[in-house]
Amino acid sequence: MAASSTDLRPRRRPPGRVVDLHPISPARLLAVYLILAAGLSGLAVRLAWLQVVQAPTLQAKARAIQTHAQVPIGKRRTIVDRSGRLVALDEERYTLWAHPRYFNLPGDEPQKLRPAADVVELLAPVLALPPATLKGRIGGRRSGVKLATDLDPDTAERVRELGISGLDLEAYPQRLYPQGSLFANVVGFLNLERVPQAGLEQSRDRDLKRHESVLRMRRGADGTPLPEGLQAGVLYGDDLRLQLTLDARLQQVAQQALSKQVKQWKAKRGVALVMDVRNGELLALASTPTYDPNKFWQYNPGLFREWSVQDLYEPGSTFKPINLALALQEKAIDPNGRVNDTGSLSIGGWPIFNHDKRANGLIDFPTVLQVSSNVGMVKAMARVKRDRFWHWLHTLGIDAVPDTDLPGAVAGQLKDRQQFVSHPIEPAVAAFGQGFSLTPLKLLQMHAMLANGGRLVSPHITRGLRSGDALASPPAPSGVQLLDPAVTRVVLGWMESVVEKGSGKGAKLAAYRIGGKTGTAQKALNGVYIPGARICSFVSVLPIEDPRFAVLVVVDEPQGENAYGSTVALPVSRQIMEALLVLEKIPPSKPAAAAAPTPRPAA
């Protein structure tokens, strides 16, 4: 058979011969090795970057996913009066947000969306708003609509009970002052951004802030918070309250009596203070005009400061008992001594006369206070060496800031020692309470010193923080001993004679022994006396046989020819004392005739 033109039989390779179809060069092997090495190096670098450099960031992201943070809303501590009555507190308020694209009613299919009109019909009665108002607020927006704010907890709960999906209640705290204007002058207020603006809210801001921290809890895959990992005490709530020394009942009596008198005499302002002379606690500090801290934006900012602590005035005749005590302490006058009141005199060319320009003749020191003799005081204090007189005024702290927790307290003004000693007119006018200035609070502090046997106590209005419903008891008697107790007892007896026989007769209360002193001082501005401007005051101590309280009433610029301490300030003090005796359950005094004779100070 003839051979085919195409031979399909496999050809045999010659024995011993190997054919290399794909030879690999060394360069190619090196390239592959470098690529693998670069990849592994990149992975190593990336791994190191993630585990070392980015570890904190990644860990934070993981924790954000795995944990739930409960941020406190920043509540402040409550303030209560001495008996636990609410003065300031935080109450939760709510802002209602709407997200119409998620509106769904109870019983609806999960995917079913309701029109805004259906939700508005249910919501309007709860919010006490017209449906048209709510519809207008929603408009055509699909999310983030503020429907209402300042919702109280009860209204917020009724909104929740509707069970409407797409409504969100945002809680925030709001500071409330249940007593209204009663304590505004000392407590102050928070502005709309919750920043303290005045009073204790500002000065005790750190104490009033609750010690709250962010609560972090683990949560499961479905977002449910898990109690696992919580430490003991993490859920503890701060229940501390700031307790005041003020009594809301007495504060109200003082406020009403003072406001009525200021209005009647068309005065510029007034203040009434009550102090426990044993420890310096203030039971009342009322001033007028005042304001409502719940609506502070409606008032003049000038009302936000307490002037009895921050403004100075010349005390006038109410300082005369203090000066007589200093003269007794220095043994410059005899308790049974007398002075010749000539009605007027001249000191270094300056005329000095009594308020009525009458001469009272040879009078004893109780009578000096009874008739409020300026001339008698000048002659009595002239027996005290000038440098010692100035030393005592300085020692009493007239020119120093008082040790008090009242916000904004200021120092008084006293001439320097050289001027006081070298100019005879300075100690002369200081003898009847002029030529220097102080605050009403400072004057009350010094009369408390007379009442408690010579101890200068620190005036204060807080008893500190207390847990839950616990209340602090009054502190023990305190203060720095400055005067001989025998000296103060003599002066208290003279002050009692003012109420029994002198200008303070209107303060007499049946069955109680009371000491007092009226004051009607000229008002100075920048060292110049304002024609016709007066400051009327009355200070009292009760009961004389065992002094417990000092009361001071000061009325600034009352109008009328008959405006004196006895006619303007004394009636307010009397009403306060009547309430004080009842509230503090002070038993009646022993008859003055049966009381032990007043001891004389040691020679």
Side-chain angles (χ1 to χ4, degrees):
M1 176 184 300
S4 168
S5 61
T6 302
D7 189 355
L8 299 177
R9 289 178 298 174
R11 297 179 180 180
R12 294 182 179 178
R13 293 176 181 174
R17 185 179 177 185
V18 179
V19 179
D20 187 358
L21 298 178
H22 300 287
I24 300 176
S25 65
R28 183 175 297 180
L29 288 174
L30 179 61
V32 171
Y33 172 77
L34 292 176
I35 290 173
L36 292 175
L40 292 173
S41 299
L43 290 175
V45 171
R46 179 59 177 168
L47 184 62
W49 177 265
L50 293 175
Q51 292 187 341
V52 177
V53 179
Q54 287 195 318
T57 302
L58 296 176
Q59 189 177 39
K61 289 182 178 181
R63 285 179 178 173
I65 296 172
Q66 298 167 1
T67 61
H68 170 70
Q70 182 66 42
V71 181
I73 61 176
K75 282 190 175 182
R76 291 170 71 84
R77 291 172 176 144
T78 299
I79 302 176
V80 297
D81 80 341
R82 68 192 289 116
S83 300
R85 297 177 183 85
L86 288 172
V87 174
L89 73 154
D90 268 3
E91 184 176 272
E92 279 193 354
R93 287 290 190 267
Y94 296 85
T95 297
L96 178 60
W97 297 89
H99 308 282
R101 63 178 178 176
Y102 298 122
F103 279 166
N104 183 271
L105 301 182
D108 289 347
E109 294 294 329
Q111 302 302 323
K112 182 179 180 180
L113 298 181
R114 289 279 189 153
D118 293 350
V119 172
V120 165
E121 289 298 322
L122 296 173
L123 198 57
V126 175
L127 299 180
L129 290 173
T133 300
L134 294 179
K135 289 179 181 178
R137 292 177 182 175
I138 294 176
R141 291 179 288 175
R142 293 178 51 78
S143 185
V145 182
K146 183 188 289 188
L147 287 184
T149 190
D150 196 28
L151 299 181
D152 59 79
D154 291 338
T155 302
E157 184 58 30
R158 291 198 296 271
V159 171
R160 290 192 190 98
E161 291 174 353
L162 294 177
I164 301 173
S165 298
L167 295 180
D168 183 23
L169 286 165
E170 178 188 7
Y172 64 92
Q174 178 171 305
R175 198 64 163 171
L176 299 179
Y177 302 92
Q179 306 287 346
S181 61
L182 197 59
F183 293 100
N185 58 320
V186 292
V187 173
F189 64 95
L190 305 183
N191 65 12
L192 299 179
E193 286 74 37
R194 291 182 61 80
V195 177
Q197 298 296 304
L200 291 175
E201 292 279 24
Q202 187 174 51
S203 66
R204 301 292 293 269
D205 183 45
R206 294 184 62 181
D207 292 334
L208 290 171
K209 287 181 178 178
R210 291 188 186 274
H211 294 165
E212 298 176 320
S213 57
V214 176
L215 177 62
R216 298 186 181 277
M217 302 176 65
R218 293 185 60 191
R219 58 184 182 182
D222 61 351
T224 303
L226 303 175
E228 175 184 0
L230 292 181
Q231 298 181 2
V234 71
L235 297 178
Y236 170 74
D238 182 346
D239 65 346
L240 297 178
R241 305 183 302 172
L242 179 64
Q243 182 184 353
L244 305 181
T245 64
L246 302 174
D247 188 313
R249 300 166 299 175
L250 189 63
Q251 182 85 353
Q252 185 171 18
V253 170
Q255 184 74 48
Q256 291 176 348
L258 184 66
S259 298
K260 180 180 178 181
Q261 200 74 342
V262 167
K263 182 178 180 180
Q264 177 180 337
W265 289 91
K266 299 178 181 178
K268 180 179 179 181
R269 56 187 179 178
V271 67
L273 305 96
V274 180
M275 179 185 287
D276 188 324
V277 302
R278 301 167 299 179
N279 51 39
E281 286 192 336
L282 289 172
L283 281 74
L285 201 174
S287 65
T288 187
T290 184
Y291 66 98
D292 184 352
N294 296 300
K295 304 173 182 177
F296 65 87
W297 56 89
Q298 298 179 359
Y299 297 85
N300 186 331
L303 298 177
F304 300 161
R305 58 196 303 273
E306 176 45 48
W307 71 274
S308 67
V309 181
Q310 298 176 310
D311 287 358
L312 305 178
Y313 81 115
E314 295 186 355
S317 296
T318 51
F319 202 82
K320 290 175 180 176
I322 308 295
N323 280 336
L324 290 178
L326 299 181
L328 285 173
Q329 184 73 24
E330 285 290 304
K331 300 179 178 59
I333 62 173
D334 185 273
N336 297 316
R338 298 189 177 196
V339 291
N340 184 22
D341 179 1
T342 56
S344 64
L345 49 77
S346 177
I347 302 291
W350 294 88
I352 291 178
F353 45 82
N354 294 331
H355 69 93
D356 54 6
K357 299 184 180 180
R358 293 176 53 185
N360 295 290
L362 194 62
I363 56 176
D364 57 14
F365 295 115
T367 305
V368 168
L369 292 183
Q370 291 168 27
V371 300
S372 201
S373 170
N374 291 340
V375 173
M377 284 300 305
V378 172
K379 291 187 174 182
M381 297 309 295
R383 303 174 187 178
V384 180
K385 293 181 179 180
R386 295 177 191 172
D387 62 337
R388 293 299 298 170
F389 191 5
W390 183 90
H391 166 78
W392 275 110
L393 296 178
H394 177 70
T395 300
L396 292 177
I398 287 179
D399 53 349
V401 177
D403 179 19
T404 179
D405 58 1
L406 281 157
V410 299
Q413 293 179 350
L414 177 65
K415 300 292 173 57
D416 63 75
R417 183 182 178 279
Q418 179 63 31
Q419 185 177 4
F420 192 90
V421 172
S422 60
H423 294 78
I425 190 61
E426 296 298 343
V429 295
F432 51 88
Q434 294 192 215
F436 65 91
S437 58
L438 41 65
T439 62
L441 177 70
K442 185 63 184 181
L443 179 65
L444 182 66
Q445 181 191 28
M446 286 188 282
H447 274 280
M449 176 188 64
L450 291 182
N452 65 29
R455 290 179 290 107
L456 192 67
V457 296
S458 297
H460 58 278
I461 58 171
T462 61
R463 285 186 179 174
L465 296 171
R466 291 295 178 269
S467 177
D469 295 329
L471 294 174
S473 56
S478 59
V480 180
Q481 191 75 40
L482 295 180
L483 300 180
D484 186 338
V487 165
T488 62
R489 285 195 293 270
V490 170
V491 177
L492 288 179
W494 295 349
M495 292 178 67
E496 183 180 12
S497 75
V498 175
V499 175
E500 293 296 323
K501 305 175 183 179
S503 57
K505 287 182 179 179
K508 292 179 65 173
L509 297 175
Y512 287 94
R513 296 177 60 193
I514 295 170
K517 184 67 189 79
T518 56
T520 306
Q522 293 175 280
K523 185 175 180 181
L525 179 64
N526 299 324
V528 179
Y529 291 109
I530 305 172
R534 302 174 178 178
I535 295 184
C536 298
S537 55
F538 183 74
V539 62
S540 55
V541 174
L542 70 158
I544 283 293
E545 73 279 4
D546 182 22
R548 288 276 308 277
F549 304 103
V551 181
L552 174 64
V553 176
V554 181
V555 179
D556 187 11
E557 293 191 30
Q559 304 301 307
E561 294 297 325
N562 197 36
Y564 299 103
S566 58
T567 57
V568 178
L570 188 149
V572 179
S573 182
R574 179 188 174 93
Q575 292 183 55
I576 293 173
M577 289 189 292
E578 288 175 338
L580 181 62
L581 293 169
V582 174
L583 294 175
E584 294 297 319
K585 300 180 176 60
I586 306 297
S589 304
K590 296 179 181 179
T598 303
R600 293 178 59 178

